[in-house]
Amino acid sequence: MAKDSTSIYYTEGLPVPETPAAGKAPKPWEQTDVIGKPWPRVDAYERVSGTAVYPSDILLPGMLYGAILTCPHPHARVRRVDTATAETMPGVRAVVGPETREADLPWSYRNVKSKIFPPVCRFEGEPVAAVAAETPFQAWDAARAIQVEYEILPHVSDERRALDANAPKIHDGGNKVKTETYSRGDVSKGFADADVVLEQHYRTEAELHTPLELHGCVANWDGDELTLWESTQGVYAVQSRVAETLGLPLAKVRVVGHYVGGGFGSKLRTSRYSIIAAVLARRSARPVKLFLPREETYLSMGNRPPSNMTLKAGVKKDGTLTALAFTCLGTGGAFPAGGTSLVDWQIRDLYRCPNISTECTDVYINAGPARPFRAPGHPQGSWALEQMMDALAEAIGMDPVALRLKNIPTVSQGRQGSPPYTTTGLEPCLTEGARQFGWAEARRSLGAAQHKGPIRRGVGMAASVWIVGGGGPPSTVIVKLFADGSANLNMGASDIGTGTKTIMAMVVAEELGLKPEMIRIEHADTGTTQYATPSGGSKTVPTEAPAVRDAAVQVKRQVLEMAADEMGLPVDDLAYEGAAVASRSRPDRRVPITGIEGLRKRGVVVGVGHRDPNPEGKSINPFCVQFCEVEVNTQTGEMRILRFLSANESGRVMNRMSFDSQVIGGITMGIGLAATEMRILDTEQTGKLVNRNWHDYKLPTALDVPADITSAPVEMPDAEANTTGAKGLGEPVTIPTAAAVANAVYHATGIRVTESPIHPLRLCSLLEQQTKEG
Ligand code: MOS
């Protein structure tokens, strides 16, 4: 190979994928040099050294600090807000509230006032007024000095009482948001055909997202142009909401979010603090930093809503499911926010079953609105369905894995027209997972029947499907190849901590033969990067990676065309090799990338990549099956999770290292639902949130999560899904975790814990009940 000074950018001798002809999609990768390998993050150093600048790290010259005074009551009318004292406090530069005089206000304020400071507060934590001051302490002191006269209204904060006749009405139309139903087949006939019918009530508690980086932004005006540095999963989504609310053209609102310290869905929505920060910055003519304290994020930045579910299921002796009837009561809080959204999806779609009915009722309560929370609705439905499958298996004397294998679907029955899946990983995840976990042996040797002492061990498993995960358009990405052979990748998507940037760099690296560390990434900035939908739904990789691949292919094609001209050879005869372009027919004819005159003259070759639509009439879904082993101390009610295995079919594994990290993270979060996490509202008296800090809201810690977590990817080549073959992973890996734990607890103790979380007090009382019933 022709040596030149830039060969360090390339891994010598590695073939790069063929360049498809114009208008043709690239073939699936067969052999890969970078994709699928365990690749450390391109921003690992920045993240661990503290040099990564998160939005909450931003400091601007002259910057003020904002604070929001929020309503301390779950339901109250704001009678009067007196900001006079606050305005005279030291360091205070701006105070805004519902009674601030219109004449003094920035032009945008009139329209937004009622949106940020509502006359009636329907949950604890609704904004009432806000302050900007020279220091955070001055801002908080001033916020506390604002005097508010509330008319306290009666509240209801337990969704199970929201529809009671005497429950206080949260909105004029009453407390019912909606009831949604779904059905197929004939459920009564299905139950009549069954040999065994079981019915059980289940409940999951609300969880709070708790990202490490708080919710907030820094707002700065430059004339009539607004810039927000915001901790968000989607800069373009924030741009459009902020522009709409403030009445600004999109082009005048720039949103930047280069790092995100966690979101898990809570940073998919645009929040009032962004608008409040913009208003405070406008009024004070200074940049304003406004990040919520942890307590406020717990009150107002979303939750995984609670669910109250009843599932009735019918099965034949041979394991054939005949009918499922499901009802759910849930709440998204004080506003329509998807309280029961997707809770029934596992029931509708995971197993082959001809007769299904579901009914989900969503009600209002006086609590903060729900937000999407890692696989919205799915872990709740899984908690019910997968515990029911466990009970059905026992009732017909069948192994839980065998029962599931008996009911494998090949089409998405829950969707209109029952489209076939591009790949159905459920079966291999069940068999491969069971094999690697040692399921059959553990099932025999452990379990309640095998132990006489107080320490019991058991194993459990659960399966799942994720409703999306195939991604899709729109996505536009730009790859620039510089004259020295290094490259720049420009995309709008956020890396929400999942390793998106690294995977996209790997795609460019694979296609261009470059080393991933030679690629500079520009992302998540509406001012400088391409449009992208928010990073969520486990769709970021399958949405963006094909566009990245396309952009790299566009670069290669242009380089080949330039080289063909200069070498006097037909373009079809040339192959892109990364460091060089070579003739296929005459191996002696090759030119290093830096030797291509056209590239040197132009300076940069730009490839614009797009995401093609998904195949029509197909459903693209990831599958996940998890197995775990637990130990229960029947004297203290303590439960320890000893090991976990996750078998995932998410299409192609793009980066084995971040893939495994996602598995560990998803299981950790699922253990929170299973064992430690619950939002506690004082429903009887004040309606206030009781556990609003990291001491009282119990996240799983290193002591709750086993060191022994195995990631067992099941790769099925998926040539249809998209040009990279990747499907989503981040959400699938948290869906079945809690149900698998509950099933393992049942195996260990004979106790079915139908209400989350499985904490020692709950287990103790169930154990006591078990002893009494003898
Ligand atoms: Mo996710 S709940 O789509 O960030």
Side-chain angles (χ1 to χ4, degrees):
M1 174 181 294
K3 282 266 179 195
D4 71 283
S5 61
T6 63
S7 58
I8 53 154
Y9 298 173
Y10 296 88
T11 312
E12 245 180 87
L14 288 183
V16 302
E18 216 175 287
T19 312
K24 289 268 189 293
K27 291 195 195 116
W29 292 304
E30 278 170 21
Q31 270 186 313
T32 57
D33 299 308
V34 181
I35 294 294
K37 304 282 168 9
W39 211 275
R41 295 185 186 220
V42 292
D43 53 5
Y45 175 81
E46 290 88 328
R47 286 178 187 273
V48 300
S49 64
T51 54
V53 180
Y54 287 75
S56 48
D57 295 323
I58 297 280
L59 297 171
L60 297 178
M63 189 178 81
L64 303 175
Y65 293 84
I68 302 175
L69 177 69
T70 67
C71 178
H73 312 292
H75 201 187
R77 189 180 312 278
V78 179
R79 285 238 176 269
R80 202 175 58 90
V81 179
D82 181 353
T83 56
T85 310
E87 277 162 40
T88 63
M89 304 263 296
V92 171
R93 298 289 172 258
V95 182
V96 291
E99 290 165 31
T100 310
R101 287 196 315 279
E102 300 272 343
D104 294 353
L105 293 169
W107 55 268
S108 54
Y109 186 75
R110 185 192 303 268
N111 302 328
V112 303
K113 185 168 78 166
S114 63
K115 290 180 191 155
I116 51 179
F117 303 127
V120 174
C121 294
R122 293 182 168 87
F123 64 90
E124 182 191 11
E126 280 218 71
V128 174
V131 177
E134 298 286 348
T135 73
F137 308 102
Q138 290 172 330
W140 282 105
D141 283 347
R144 272 190 288 268
I146 295 171
Q147 280 142 31
V148 186
E149 197 183 298
Y150 294 105
E151 175 193 345
I152 297 176
L153 303 170
H155 66 268
V156 55
S157 41
D158 184 337
E159 72 279 2
R160 291 160 293 190
R161 294 187 210 151
L163 297 179
D164 289 357
N166 61 350
K169 282 193 174 48
I170 296 166
H171 294 279
D172 291 343
N175 293 342
K176 183 160 161 177
V177 184
K178 62 180 176 194
T179 294
E180 280 184 350
T181 60
Y182 165 84
S183 73
R184 66 172 180 256
D186 180 344
V187 177
S188 334
K189 184 179 171 300
F191 287 126
D193 289 347
D195 295 314
V196 171
V197 175
L198 298 179
E199 184 169 352
Q200 180 64 52
H201 183 73
Y202 304 90
R203 176 177 162 82
T204 59
E205 292 289 346
E207 288 184 282
L208 303 168
H209 300 75
T210 323
L212 201 57
E213 185 183 33
L214 296 159
H215 293 69
C217 65
V218 176
N220 187 41
W221 290 91
D222 188 352
D224 62 351
E225 295 177 1
L226 173 66
T227 302
L228 289 175
W229 288 263
E230 166 124 3
S231 185
T232 175
Q233 294 176 230
V235 288
Y236 277 95
V238 173
Q239 181 208 36
S240 97
R241 277 305 294 274
V242 169
E244 189 191 325
T245 309
L246 295 179
L248 294 171
L250 289 170
K252 298 281 188 182
V253 179
R254 179 179 175 193
V255 180
V256 189
H258 287 155
Y259 286 90
V260 191
F264 314 111
S266 69
K267 291 175 185 166
L268 283 171
R269 300 258 162 91
T270 307
S271 305
R272 284 184 239 185
Y273 62 74
S274 306
I275 305 298
I276 294 171
V279 169
L280 287 169
R282 183 81 187 186
R283 195 163 161 82
S284 61
R286 302 267 289 270
V288 171
K289 182 173 202 164
L290 178 49
F291 275 79
L292 304 186
R294 180 64 62 188
E295 291 77 5
E296 296 289 335
T297 70
Y298 272 176
L299 288 166
S300 61
M301 290 296 118
N303 53 76
R304 182 190 295 291
S307 66
N308 305 276
M309 306 171 284
T310 301
L311 180 60
K312 184 178 172 185
V315 69
K316 289 190 181 172
K317 282 206 186 88
D318 70 355
T320 308
L321 282 175
T322 61
L324 295 168
F326 177 76
T327 61
C328 177
L329 172 75
T331 178
F335 295 96
T340 53
S341 289
L342 308 184
V343 173
D344 67 348
W345 191 255
Q346 299 302 292
I347 289 96
R348 281 163 65 160
D349 214 41
L350 181 56
Y351 298 116
R352 200 176 57 211
C353 183
N355 308 303
I356 290 191
S357 71
T358 73
E359 183 187 297
C360 294
T361 299
D362 205 335
V363 299
Y364 295 116
I365 61 169
N366 293 110
R371 287 185 176 194
F373 190 134
R374 202 169 186 168
H378 286 50
Q380 298 98 298
S382 172
W383 178 257
L385 177 65
E386 291 301 279
Q387 290 207 62
M388 176 55 81
M389 290 296 280
D390 207 57
L392 291 175
E394 186 182 41
I396 59 169
M398 204 167 176
D399 178 85
V401 172
L403 174 62
R404 287 164 173 91
L405 285 170
K406 182 83 189 170
N407 297 283
I408 303 280
T410 55
V411 301
S412 175
Q413 306 154 96
R415 287 184 166 79
Q416 198 68 35
S418 298
Y421 294 116
T422 49
T423 52
T424 314
L426 183 55
E427 182 172 344
C429 286
L430 283 162
T431 51
E432 245 327 276
R435 190 186 66 75
Q436 288 192 39
F437 183 79
W439 169 256
E441 166 55 22
R443 199 67 187 171
R444 264 194 307 276
S445 61
L446 304 174
Q450 311 300 328
H451 301 275
K452 291 292 162 264
I455 307 291
R456 310 279 173 83
R457 282 196 184 183
V459 290
M461 53 81 54
S464 60
V465 61
W466 167 233
I467 189 165
V468 286
S475 168
T476 304
V477 163
I478 289 178
V479 170
K480 288 192 232 172
L481 183 74
F482 294 103
D484 69 348
S486 65
N488 172 307
L489 164 64
N490 179 297
M491 61 167 192
S494 303
D495 182 340
I496 57 176
T498 53
T500 305
K501 280 158 71 183
T502 306
I503 289 175
M504 300 311 151
M506 289 168 75
V507 172
V508 175
E510 186 72 51
E511 285 297 328
L512 299 185
L514 265 172
K515 294 179 180 175
E517 60 269 32
M518 287 301 158
I519 299 157
R520 180 187 157 83
I521 300 169
E522 288 170 5
H523 81 306
D525 180 341
T526 64
T528 60
T529 67
Q530 304 314 301
Y531 179 81
T533 51
S535 293
S538 303
K539 62 153 187 58
T540 312
V541 166
T543 293
E544 307 298 336
V548 174
R549 192 174 181 201
D550 186 35
V553 164
Q554 305 298 336
V555 165
K556 287 203 291 192
R557 199 175 290 134
Q558 292 176 68
V559 170
L560 286 181
E561 279 162 10
M562 283 191 290
D565 255 11
E566 291 171 26
M567 294 165 85
L569 291 169
V571 70
D572 296 347
D573 181 47
L574 296 182
Y576 192 97
E577 285 184 356
V581 172
S583 160
R584 293 171 209 264
S585 61
R586 298 185 48 192
D588 61 307
R589 297 289 307 276
R590 56 197 302 125
V591 54
I593 290 294
T594 48
I596 298 172
E597 197 59 30
L599 176 60
R600 214 183 304 164
K601 270 202 209 129
R602 261 208 248 168
V604 174
V605 168
V606 176
V608 182
H610 296 285
R611 172 61 158 83
D612 283 338
N614 290 332
E616 265 182 52
K618 289 287 177 84
S619 195
I620 306 168
N621 298 90
F623 294 86
C624 172
V625 180
Q626 292 181 346
F627 299 81
C628 70
E629 180 174 338
V630 305
E631 183 179 273
V632 177
N633 182 329
T634 56
Q635 288 176 334
T636 63
E638 285 166 290
M639 187 264 296
R640 283 205 305 145
I641 300 167
L642 303 177
R643 64 185 177 115
F644 242 100
L645 180 139
S646 187
N648 288 92
E649 196 264 302
S650 285
R652 183 189 295 278
V653 175
M654 298 293 278
N655 177 353
R656 184 59 202 262
M657 192 179 281
S658 56
F659 190 100
D660 293 352
S661 301
Q662 284 292 293
V663 169
I664 294 166
I667 287 172
T668 301
M669 218 154 188
I671 287 173
L673 174 64
T676 67
E677 293 183 49
M678 61 189 298
R679 174 185 73 179
I680 302 171
L681 297 172
D682 176 21
T683 52
E684 296 299 323
Q685 296 182 47
T686 61
K688 286 166 74 73
L689 177 62
V690 175
N691 51 344
R692 56 178 72 196
N693 55 56
W694 279 7
H695 179 267
D696 297 322
Y697 184 80
K698 301 293 186 191
L699 289 170
T701 68
L703 296 177
D704 303 296
V705 179
D708 184 354
I709 295 181
T710 305
S711 163
V714 171
E715 279 195 272
M716 300 176 84
D718 193 334
E720 289 180 281
N722 59 68
T723 58
T724 66
K727 299 194 277 189
L729 176 69
E731 284 163 296
V733 285
T734 205
I735 299 168
T737 306
V741 171
N743 289 339
V745 168
Y746 180 78
H747 187 230
T749 62
I751 288 172
R752 188 140 306 281
V753 188
T754 55
E755 301 196 1
S756 80
I758 308 173
H759 57 62
L761 283 178
R762 194 189 301 284
L763 255 186
C764 268
S765 94
L766 291 168
L767 283 157
E768 209 171 300
Q769 211 176 305
Q770 185 189 42
T771 314
K772 271 191 212 140
E773 288 163 6

